[in-house]
Amino acid sequence: MFSEKIKDFACRISGKLEDELLEGALNYLDHNEEALAIEILCDHLIEYDVPLSQDDLSFLKSILIAMNFNILMPPFKYFDFS
């Protein structure tokens, strides 16, 4: 249900995160593990201090909210969604 949006987000940030890390997170989508895929992707973005534009952050926030994640909890709380 959210796989395409997660892939769209991954395309937007392609080149900002090592391909292996990006592909590793996206592999979970092949097993219908959308929540795990986006969580791992967010963990990598935070861990490697990947700079995201406001547009990217807004897109990410919309995905997380649609998936019913609490953006005030780790790892999401470390993004500047303001």
Side-chain angles (χ1 to χ4, degrees), residues 20-69:
E20 293 171 354
L21 295 174
L22 192 57
E23 290 170 17
L26 293 178
N27 281 339
Y28 287 98
L29 297 177
D30 296 334
H31 303 284
N32 297 318
E33 294 286 351
E34 296 168 324
L36 190 54
I38 196 72
E39 272 192 86
I40 290 172
L41 185 54
C42 288
D43 280 337
H44 291 328
L45 293 171
I46 295 296
E47 182 178 348
Y48 293 98
D49 199 25
V50 175
L52 298 175
S53 69
Q54 273 309 125
D55 286 342
D56 292 339
L57 285 168
S58 293
F59 192 74
L60 174 59
K61 182 179 179 182
S62 71
I63 295 169
L64 295 173
I65 289 173
M67 293 181 73
N68 293 318
F69 278 106

